[in-house]
């Protein structure tokens, strides 16, 4: 089977809308870096993730992402690597209804997290590598 991946960099967009990934159902790896506009916080619309249920790798880094959709882990059930480093995330909480049962690498470094709450790890039962550095310590 052919591996499918996509990389987008420096697009200058404010959000990923509902239909963006509609025809990418077979996508396995999605890397998005520095895709937000300079002045706006980036929004990831929950419905845009629906066609991506086969993703193994998801990176959305350095893009001013303010929060992950609440059902993020419910939709991306095959995810093994999550990198949301260098954004504006202020909470490390994920939906308690869903777990990243295949997630082995999680990187939430370089965000605006004051602390990691203990329930965060409930969402990652098999994680092997977890990276988090305080935003201020990386400047």
């Amino acid at each position: 089977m052919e591996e499918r991946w996509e990389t987008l960099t420096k697009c200058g967009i404010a959000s990923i809308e509902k239909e963006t990934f509609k025809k990418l159902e077979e996508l396995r790896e999605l890397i998005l870096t520095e895709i937000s506009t300079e002045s706006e916080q980036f929004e990831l619309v929950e419905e845009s993730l629906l066609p991506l249920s086969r993703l193994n790798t998801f990176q959305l880094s350095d893009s001013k992402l303010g929060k992950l959709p609440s059902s993020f882990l419910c939709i991306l059930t095959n995810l093994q690597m999550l990198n949301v480093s260098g954004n504006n995330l202020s909470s490390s909480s994920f939906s308690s209804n869903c777990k990243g049962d295949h997630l082995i690498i999680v990187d939430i470094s370089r965000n605006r997290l004051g602390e990691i709450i203990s329930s965060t790890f409930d969402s990652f039962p098999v994680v092997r590598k977890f990276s988090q550095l305080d935003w201020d310590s990386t400047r």
Side-chain angles (χ1 to χ4, degrees):
M1 175 167 35
E2 180 182 336
E3 289 292 315
R4 293 195 58 194
W5 56 273
E6 187 65 50
T7 301
L8 300 173
T9 304
K10 297 183 181 180
C11 299
I13 57 177
S15 68
I16 292 180
E17 296 299 325
K18 184 177 178 178
E19 303 290 320
T20 303
F21 303 118
K22 185 177 180 179
K23 296 187 180 196
L24 298 175
E25 298 90 0
E26 298 298 319
L27 198 65
R28 299 291 191 268
E29 182 175 318
L30 180 60
I31 299 172
L32 307 168
T33 57
E34 298 179 55
I35 62 169
S36 62
T37 64
E38 287 193 26
S39 60
E40 294 183 55
Q41 184 156 293
F42 184 78
E43 180 184 7
L44 181 60
V45 177
E46 186 171 312
E47 290 82 8
S48 70
L49 299 173
L50 293 175
L52 302 176
S53 63
R54 294 181 182 216
L55 271 188
N56 299 106
T57 300
F58 182 74
Q59 176 178 327
L60 176 55
S61 59
D62 301 307
S63 297
K64 298 184 185 139
L65 177 67
K67 67 178 183 173
L68 286 169
S70 60
S71 64
F72 183 80
L73 293 176
C74 299
I75 296 169
L76 303 180
T77 57
N78 291 308
L79 209 56
Q80 295 176 1
M81 195 281 290
L82 171 64
N83 180 347
V84 287
S85 62
N87 284 296
N88 292 339
L89 298 176
S90 58
S91 171
S92 65
S93 64
F94 289 83
S95 171
S96 59
N97 298 331
C98 302
K99 302 203 181 311
D101 289 329
H102 302 287
L103 258 174
I104 55 174
I105 300 171
V106 177
D107 186 348
I108 58 172
S109 62
R110 298 183 298 114
N111 277 284
R112 299 184 183 273
L113 303 171
E115 64 182 358
I116 301 293
I117 57 175
S118 60
S119 63
T120 297
F121 298 103
D122 295 342
S123 300
F124 313 124
V126 297
V127 72
R128 293 189 183 113
K129 181 178 180 184
F130 185 85
S131 300
Q132 187 275 332
L133 293 173
D134 182 62
W135 174 272
D136 292 329
S137 69
T138 60
R139 286 186 178 173

